[in-house]
Each structure stands twice: as C-alpha cells, then as structure tokens.
Amino acid sequence: MSEQSKSRPKVPEGKVRFHKTKQMEANEKGFVGYETIWDSLQKEVEYKTPKRP
C-alpha cells in the first residue's frame, strides 16, 4: 500500500462577520493549529464628563 503524506494541505483563510481564521505552520510533531483573529464587536467612544448645572 502507498504511504500517506506527512504534510497537510493548505487551508484557505476563513472570513466571517466578526472574525478571521488562518492556518498556522505545523510544529515539529506535525500539529497544525488555527489562529482566530477577532474584530471588535462594538465601538468605544471617549468618555466626556457631563456639564455641571
């Protein structure tokens, strides 16, 4: 029988509404991980103190 290849196929970058997923390089044991990059879900506005009456 033929031997299976040790390398994993390259997975394209995944994009959805709030995050992206990228495939990382394989380590010495052959483990391939995935990196998740989150976009901000809300905008933050600088706080301003209210006017005094």
Side-chain angles (χ1 to χ4, degrees):
M1 294 188 141
S2 63
E3 200 174 304
Q4 290 183 349
S5 65
K6 299 278 182 182
S7 64
R8 298 274 308 231
K10 187 71 174 165
V11 177
E13 182 178 300
K15 284 182 122 179
V16 292
R17 187 172 180 190
F18 294 115
H19 72 277
K20 291 188 240 176
T21 306
K22 295 168 90 177
Q23 182 179 7
M24 298 190 301
E25 295 297 321
N27 63 7
E28 63 276 350
K29 293 181 180 179
F31 176 76
V32 178
Y34 297 91
E35 178 182 12
T36 303
I37 304 166
W38 289 92
D39 295 333
S40 60
L41 300 175
Q42 62 189 18
K43 295 180 182 177
E44 290 190 21
V45 180
E46 184 180 332
Y47 178 76
K48 294 179 183 174
T49 55
K51 292 182 180 176
R52 297 194 78 141

